Amino acid sequence: MTNMKKYFLLLLLSILLTACNSTSVTLEKKNVSNSDMIDLSLYDQIINRYNGFTKKTINQDSNINNMAFLSNHKYYTDLYNTIVDIDNNGTPELLISVGTSEGAYKLLDMYTVSSKNKLIRLTTKNNGLDNIGERMILLPLQDGSLLYKGSASAISQHYILYKFDQQGTHFSMVVESEKIEGLGDIAEPIDINSFDWISIKQ
């Protein structure tokens, strides 16, 4: 009788373990399918717009940063794109930059895709970031925030700290100052030169 009890106990434990493993696998599959629902191919239309940018024409497309004409200058090389999850929310952002002859990159534009697969421009006229590139520089920081540095002249600087909202679809100003110390303790900048930039003209 004792052996029978042991047998049934082992059988019950085996069934429970199998059920737990099955549930775990199902949850993992659901998580993967949810992350795959973001349609990053929506970024292609932005890349194509920049690819069709006529460098000699300014203000031709309100949906992109017309500072892209910098790529026509001798100091600059080309327009580039990469996809990086700046705010670590699971959805990588599209970054557009202009390359310099020194092998560096200057950020021109940023886009993301919402959970409902809506393409959203992050660097807009509303937050004053629609013309970044040369004297107005935007740098991603290690904690997912962004540092803006603008220069009206050789001696006048302006700094703004931006942060993403909870959905990761917009960012807004947190604090601004004429000195970087006025922003308080901020994270270190990310070296965007280390990103895998791809020429838009390919």
Side-chain angles (χ1 to χ4, degrees), residues 41-71:
S41 68
L42 292 170
Y43 290 149
D44 291 343
Q45 58 186 285
I46 301 301
I47 295 171
N48 290 335
R49 281 177 178 171
Y50 273 99
N51 188 32
F53 186 86
T54 304
K55 299 172 184 176
K56 296 180 181 179
T57 305
I58 300 177
N59 297 325
Q60 60 177 329
D61 191 339
S62 61
N63 294 308
I64 64 175
N65 185 347
N66 288 287
M67 290 295 286
F69 77 87
L70 289 171
S71 61

Side-chain angles (χ1 to χ4, degrees), residues 8-9 11 25 52 55-56 79 89 98 105 111 137 164 180:
F8 283 117
L9 182 59
L11 182 62
V25 171
K55 299 172 184 176
K56 296 180 181 179
L79 297 174
N89 71 338
V98 60
Y105 300 89
Y111 295 80
I137 299 171
F164 281 84
I180 193 166

Side-chain angles (χ1 to χ4, degrees), residues 8 13-14 56 111 113 121 168 188:
F8 283 117
L13 287 172
S14 176
K56 296 180 181 179
Y111 295 80
V113 177
R121 186 181 184 186
E188 291 294 319

Side-chain angles (χ1 to χ4, degrees), residues 4 19 27 29 34 71 94 111 116 120 123 126 131 135 154 157 159 161-162 171 178 182 189 191 201:
M4 286 296 291
L27 289 174
K29 287 182 179 179
N34 285 339
S71 61
L94 170 68
Y111 295 80
K116 296 182 179 180
I120 297 173
T123 45
N126 289 338
N131 284 311
R135 289 192 173 185
Q157 303 287 337
Y159 299 90
L161 182 67
Y162 289 91
F171 47 74
E178 293 183 359
D191 180 15
K201 297 298 182 181

Side-chain angles (χ1 to χ4, degrees), residues 7-41:
Y7 172 77
F8 283 117
L9 182 59
L10 289 173
L11 182 62
L12 180 60
L13 287 172
S14 176
I15 292 171
L16 288 172
L17 286 172
T18 303
C20 289
N21 289 335
S22 176
T23 302
S24 176
V25 171
T26 303
L27 289 174
E28 288 174 5
K29 287 182 179 179
K30 285 183 179 179
N31 288 335
V32 170
S33 64
N34 285 339
S35 64
D36 288 344
M37 287 175 63
I38 302 298
D39 185 7
L40 297 182
S41 68

